Amino acid sequence: MARQLSCLGINLRNAVNTVNPDAILLDGFLGILHALSTETLDGMLRTQALDEVAGPAKIYLAATER
């Protein structure tokens, strides 16, 4: 799980640095990873992304209707 979180954190960092989103929605397996360790992924994003773009970016779990 730690390796998968690390890979996800790197990819989110790259996306935030490139696209500068205000929100990131995760669903499925990625949503489960985030839910299992919310503070880890948020912390990785805050420490690894550029300060100017990491601040406003928030990670959310996608809501699903069943």
Side-chain angles (χ1 to χ4, degrees):
M1 186 173 95
R3 178 167 160 66
Q4 291 170 337
L5 276 170
S6 176
C7 290
L8 180 56
I10 290 168
N11 285 294
L12 290 179
R13 173 199 67 201
N14 292 340
V16 166
N17 287 341
T18 303
V19 183
N20 190 14
D22 291 330
I24 299 167
L25 283 175
L26 297 178
D27 195 14
F29 177 70
L30 301 180
I32 292 169
L33 274 177
H34 181 256
L36 291 173
S37 189
T38 304
E39 53 282 336
T40 300
L41 198 54
D42 289 338
M44 289 173 69
L45 185 62
R46 301 286 166 246
T47 59
Q48 295 180 8
L50 298 172
D51 291 338
E52 299 82 24
V53 295
K58 302 277 187 270
I59 302 171
Y60 299 100
L61 293 177
T64 57
E65 292 184 33
R66 297 182 192 240

